[in-house]
Amino acid sequence: MDRSRVRGMLLGGAIGDALGNPIEFLSINGARKHFGPNGVTTLILNRDGFSEITDDTQMTLFTLEGMIRGHHQLRRTPRPGTDPLAVVVRTVHGAYLRWLRTQHDYAPDADMTGWLVGHQELHVPRAPGLTCLSALRRTNTPGCDIATPTNRINDSKGCGSVMRAGAVALWPGSAADVFRLGIDTGALTHSHPTGFLAAGAFAVIVRELLNGNELLTAIEAARESLRTWPNQAEVTELYEHIDLAVRLGSGQRNWTGRRQEPVRLTPEAIASELGGGWTAEDALAIALYSALVATDFEDGVCLAVNHSGDSDSTGAVAGNILGAMYGEQAIPTRWLNELELADVIGQIGDDALTEFGTTSRQSSQEWLRRFPPN
């Protein structure tokens, strides 16, 4: 994969997250009151001069760390007859328990080894999602197995499943593997089919973009993956939201058969047409729409966050898409300089390329310390 696209996807998601963070719980009128007539259009800095990421980016980083450690484990200790993706889902669950403990939550048995968890900036709760917290607490109980698409532990389809799924696109397997890994890691916390299917679809979309394909082509690849799901009734709602985003964002044929121009929605219209982004299907739809109509990275993330809804999550998902489309060089330098943990985010993208690549894989003691294969 192209390094600029990989880093752009991860850094772009973090910037969208940080951009939307200050207005996550504000209406669009509140955002205008605080930040001007267009809402928030620049990163808001803390007293240390950085724009703060939220749990969206934290969980994305731990998702990728879990994948790297799972791949490292399989590489060092092959397990013939074992489902490799099941191993990786387990290591991602372990990474989520590390994240849970960084949120000052009850996870006394979490494995706190490795490079990522050593960054103390991640040990700050940033409004973590209640569904993620409760699901991980429950599956951290002795004797309780992890949640899966068949072992469902709640009925949530909140956007917490999709906000972190961009990382799954980096998995080196087939598109079918990426789709399944997105579903299975989403289901670790969100048991409603729309929640975990949206995560799988989003992972496929980002994977296609990282491979250089156009966004509409990537969306069609996600539709193809969704058609393999055995219960198509569970996919209907997600299809409808994706299709609406495409119609609004790429133009649609009117009753005469003539194609109309894409619709540039107001923040109020985003809420009425596409929802608030609190659920997985809404967040994905808003992000897809924003990326389809955007003139550049900055325009797209600003559009994605300025509405009366879950602005950091819609910004994070849109930022993943736009960063994968345009690469790191399309992100304004001033934003990269102002982003909290930008060096860590970029580094773990480079580490993923190293671990998942076919050459230059690391076996040194330093690599073992950074990504213990357990």
Side-chain angles (χ1 to χ4, degrees), residues 85 171 173-183 200 204 207 225 228:
L85 292 185
W171 183 252
S174 65
D177 287 343
V178 167
F179 181 57
R180 181 188 151 195
L181 190 57
I183 287 173
V204 171
R207 170 64 170 271
S225 295
T228 67

Side-chain angles (χ1 to χ4, degrees), residues 237-268:
E237 188 173 22
L238 186 54
Y239 281 144
E240 291 173 350
H241 280 72
I242 292 173
D243 291 345
L244 177 58
V246 170
R247 288 199 304 273
L248 293 171
S250 65
Q252 55 185 311
R253 298 190 184 280
N254 62 21
W255 64 273
T256 67
R258 183 174 299 173
R259 179 167 292 280
Q260 299 173 319
E261 290 298 312
V263 180
R264 183 80 179 193
L265 297 176
T266 65
E268 290 82 2

Side-chain angles (χ1 to χ4, degrees), residues 11 221 236:
L11 289 163
T236 301

Side-chain angles (χ1 to χ4, degrees), residues 23 28 30-42 267 302 305-306:
I23 61 171
I28 185 58
R32 289 168 176 151
K33 179 179 179 180
H34 282 81
F35 302 108
N38 295 319
V40 63
T41 58
T42 190
C302 286
V305 304
N306 283 294

Side-chain angles (χ1 to χ4, degrees), residues 198-235:
F202 179 52
V204 171
I205 289 169
V206 175
R207 170 64 170 271
E208 292 291 314
L209 296 174
L210 292 173
N211 286 336
N213 292 315
E214 298 292 330
L215 181 52
L216 288 175
T217 301
I219 293 170
E220 184 53 38
R223 287 196 187 100
E224 288 297 320
S225 295
L226 288 168
R227 291 184 187 113
T228 67
W229 188 248
N231 185 350
Q232 283 293 290
E234 294 182 327
V235 192

Side-chain angles (χ1 to χ4, degrees), residues 8-18 57 297 312 315-320 323:
M9 183 271 291
L10 293 169
L11 289 163
I15 285 172
D17 176 27
T57 301
F297 178 90
D312 62 326
V317 178
N320 288 149

